[in-house]
Amino acid sequence: MFKKILIANRGEIALRVIRTCKEMGIKTVAVYSTADKESLHVKFADEAVCIGKPQSTESYLNIPHLMAAAEITNADAIHPGYGFLAENARFAEICGEHGIKFIGPTPDMIRQMGDKMTAKETMIRAGVPVIPGSDGLLENLDEAREIAREMGYPIILKATAGGGGKGMRVVWEERALEHNYNTARAEARAAFNNDGIYMEKFVEEPRHIEIQIAGDQFGKVCHLSERDCSIQRRHQKLVEESPSPFMTTALRKKMGEAAIKAASAINYESVGTIEFLVDKHRNFYFMEMNTRIQVEHGVTEEVINFDLVKEQIKIAAGIPITGKNYLPEMHAIECRINAEDPFNDFRPSPGRINVLHIPGGHGVRVDSHIYAGYAIPPYYDSMVAKIITVAQTREEAIDTMDRALSEFVIEGIKTTIPFHQQLMRNEDFRKGNFTTKFTETFKLEPEPQIP
Ligand code: MV4
């Protein structure tokens, strides 16, 4: 087992990894930017190294600074968390070249799933259902027009270097194709320095359901059930839950088997997620694979009673997995609490937290790095806490969440707590009647005015 892990991240995920390391008897090294000097991950780790200026490119994304920190502290592994360098194949490669274990998949696996068209072709070969579309990248407008005519509109254009919704264009009719084809390619070139685009039939009002998987270094892969992440806004997830209210026993078996096929196709090693789009007839299609631990991993941990970070570290250390698939035994819901103003177009609201009360009680888990007096820096992600509630039934988990949200006091900044409170009381949400379009039509009641 590793003796010392450097956590190349900040915030709640850095804390999350430190907590599991402590339980496993592994020493930890925190890294921090000058803006994060007063952060909890710095205080909770055994050692801490400042790696540069506040801007991510000067600190959490700066590979030479991170490698220097790992070498001076004698760390034998690096945990990348999520975001930052978690899916950077070159970083994983450099770790290997320095004899430091990257806690995640191999650089090759990251690359294969990072290019979306390549990933899709791999899935077709593996027999995993994909959304009908172009056979490879689009060569020119004429080809695009022909494929769209054949499939019928609406269609969607996607950047092969994109993912997570970046560089996508929906086209509803042929006369809008030329313009969208040109802008999709130009945007892809500008954003990713790669102008490869491909086409798919546009699936209207789908659900986003993902399957958590784990694979070890010996070729064994298992699935750990699903998460429903359909409640998103501008491709940012706001709520995740497991099991999905749309799931059936038969569908879970089929999607679980497809996810295992998908991961096995690249001999996947580490924990990871296969994202599927699910249409109203419960047809499901591979969308992307995430080769990292995700923000919403805690939802799965609660419903199957399993530490995913511990499993990820064990896999990286060469310990085999049991290979058993897991089914949800509880219901868990997660609300992401962001330092954003939901009554003002979710505008970021950094600043100092003057008063703080974190909810607790039966069935409540809060993963957060905030404390009273902490100032949220403006440079990074706006997520300040994740509340996860767990109960025997979905209805109880929602009621517990409503209660936990009402206990949560964060003064000094605006947060998304009021949005979640209204959502927990929404009839359609409570019925499980929602798709990825839900937040577009959800009417937030005005903020109660305190006289
Ligand atoms: C789609 C789609 C409909 N049809 N592909 C968004 C993120 C990226 N992973 C792919 N996305 C989508 N791809 C086809 N052929 C709709 C979306 C999509 C979406 C997917 C999941 C969750 C929220 C979403 C919001 C808008 C669009």
Side-chain angles (χ1 to χ4, degrees):
M1 185 45 67
F2 307 117
K3 292 196 163 52
K4 195 189 271 188
I5 295 177
L6 180 142
I7 299 111
N9 215 300
R10 63 180 301 283
E12 72 85 19
I13 192 63
L15 274 183
R16 170 70 190 83
V17 175
I18 290 168
R19 284 175 169 148
T20 283
C21 286
K22 281 198 175 153
E23 292 173 13
M24 295 175 79
I26 301 169
K27 292 264 182 287
T28 53
V29 180
V31 293
Y32 63 98
S33 73
T34 51
D36 277 341
K37 200 169 181 309
E38 305 301 328
S39 284
L40 269 197
H41 74 286
V42 174
K43 301 176 205 278
F44 281 18
D46 296 304
E47 293 171 76
V49 182
C50 181
I51 51 163
K53 289 188 268 201
Q55 292 88 332
S56 304
T57 49
E58 305 287 323
S59 49
Y60 300 104
L61 290 172
N62 189 304
I63 297 175
H65 293 187
L66 287 163
M67 297 317 296
E71 292 199 332
I72 57 168
T73 56
N74 213 16
D76 48 8
I78 293 185
H79 195 299
Y82 52 68
F84 296 124
L85 296 168
E87 290 173 289
N88 184 310
R90 185 63 195 132
F91 178 58
E93 210 162 60
I94 290 168
C95 290
E97 286 163 8
H98 287 73
I100 293 168
K101 179 67 188 173
F102 176 83
I103 301 177
T106 65
D108 233 43
M109 296 168 191
I110 300 174
R111 260 187 212 111
Q112 281 184 79
M113 290 299 139
D115 186 272
K116 304 305 164 191
M117 194 65 232
T118 305
K120 195 172 170 180
E121 284 166 348
T122 304
M123 293 311 143
I124 295 168
R125 276 198 304 277
V128 177
V130 301
I131 303 165
S134 59
D135 206 352
L137 298 178
L138 295 168
E139 297 277 343
N140 52 54
L141 177 63
D142 285 338
E143 186 198 8
R145 195 183 292 113
E146 213 164 296
I147 299 164
R149 257 186 213 171
E150 188 125 335
M151 285 196 304
Y153 288 85
I155 60 95
I156 185 167
L157 299 168
K158 294 183 178 182
T160 191
K166 274 177 283 177
M168 296 187 340
R169 311 286 293 201
V170 180
V171 188
W172 293 90
E173 50 184 352
E174 187 170 298
R175 63 186 187 88
L177 183 63
E178 182 168 1
H179 170 74
N180 280 295
Y181 176 90
N182 291 327
T183 41
R185 202 178 274 293
E187 280 173 13
R189 189 183 302 120
F192 315 113
N193 192 30
N194 173 351
D195 72 354
I197 57 169
Y198 61 101
M199 183 187 292
E200 284 177 351
K201 178 79 189 162
F202 181 63
V203 181
E204 291 181 65
E205 307 205 22
R207 285 170 174 80
H208 170 134
I209 302 178
E210 56 189 32
I211 306 282
Q212 176 72 52
I213 59 95
D216 67 17
Q217 297 182 13
F218 311 95
K220 197 175 282 175
V221 179
C222 67
H223 79 74
L224 303 97
S225 292
E226 81 279 7
R227 293 183 290 260
D228 192 314
C229 308
S230 300
I231 306 288
Q232 312 197 353
R233 183 183 172 276
R234 299 191 183 162
H235 303 295
Q236 291 294 320
K237 293 169 186 165
L238 295 170
V239 176
E240 303 97 345
E241 64 178 295
S242 184
S244 167
F246 197 61
M247 191 51 77
T248 64
T249 303
L251 183 62
R252 181 176 295 114
K253 188 161 186 290
K254 282 199 286 181
M255 289 181 69
E257 281 166 8
I260 290 172
K261 252 196 221 173
S264 301
I266 60 162
N267 261 308
Y268 190 74
E269 165 200 335
S270 192
V271 298
T273 303
I274 316 291
E275 291 186 1
F276 292 100
L277 269 190
V278 183
D279 72 15
K280 58 175 180 283
H281 310 293
R282 292 195 171 80
N283 297 310
F284 63 91
Y285 308 95
F286 170 86
M287 254 197 318
E288 298 180 10
M289 178 169 188
N290 299 316
T291 57
R292 60 172 190 276
I293 189 92
Q294 285 183 279
V295 174
E296 61 270 29
H297 73 278
V299 167
T300 300
E301 294 187 321
E302 295 306 316
V303 296
I304 66 171
N305 192 20
F306 187 99
D307 184 333
L308 281 167
V309 174
K310 185 184 276 181
E311 194 69 5
Q312 186 185 29
I313 293 170
K314 282 166 67 180
I315 290 168
I319 297 168
I321 63 172
T322 67
K324 151 176 147 47
N325 297 324
Y326 285 77
L327 300 177
E329 304 207 344
M330 300 290 278
H331 199 105
I333 300 193
E334 170 173 278
C335 290
R336 295 191 188 188
I337 311 304
N338 295 339
E340 294 170 0
D341 182 358
F343 302 104
N344 204 343
D345 201 34
F346 290 79
R347 188 196 308 191
S349 175
R352 193 170 299 278
I353 295 168
N354 306 312
V355 180
L356 179 68
H357 180 265
I358 292 180
H362 186 63
V364 179
R365 164 176 168 182
V366 179
D367 279 20
S368 176
H369 59 293
I370 64 176
Y371 57 85
Y374 175 66
I376 294 150
Y379 306 98
Y380 316 107
D381 194 273
S382 66
M383 194 175 74
V384 295
K386 304 184 295 199
I387 313 183
I388 302 171
T389 59
V390 55
Q392 292 283 344
T393 66
R394 181 169 190 269
E395 191 176 26
E396 290 171 290
I398 293 172
D399 289 339
T400 303
M401 182 62 77
D402 194 10
R403 185 272 291 172
L405 288 163
S406 73
E407 286 179 9
F408 212 156
V409 180
I410 307 181
E411 283 180 19
I413 57 164
K414 304 266 198 222
T415 76
T416 51
I417 290 169
F419 166 87
H420 289 297
Q421 282 180 299
Q422 292 189 31
L423 181 65
M424 292 304 127
R425 295 167 191 190
N426 177 273
E427 193 184 315
D428 283 323
F429 177 75
R430 292 190 73 101
K431 283 192 202 148
N433 187 16
F434 54 80
T435 70
T436 55
K437 281 181 77 79
F438 184 86
T439 58
E440 288 175 37
T441 50
F442 178 63
K443 280 263 177 299
L444 196 66
E445 296 297 325
E447 192 170 15
Q449 296 298 316
I450 299 133

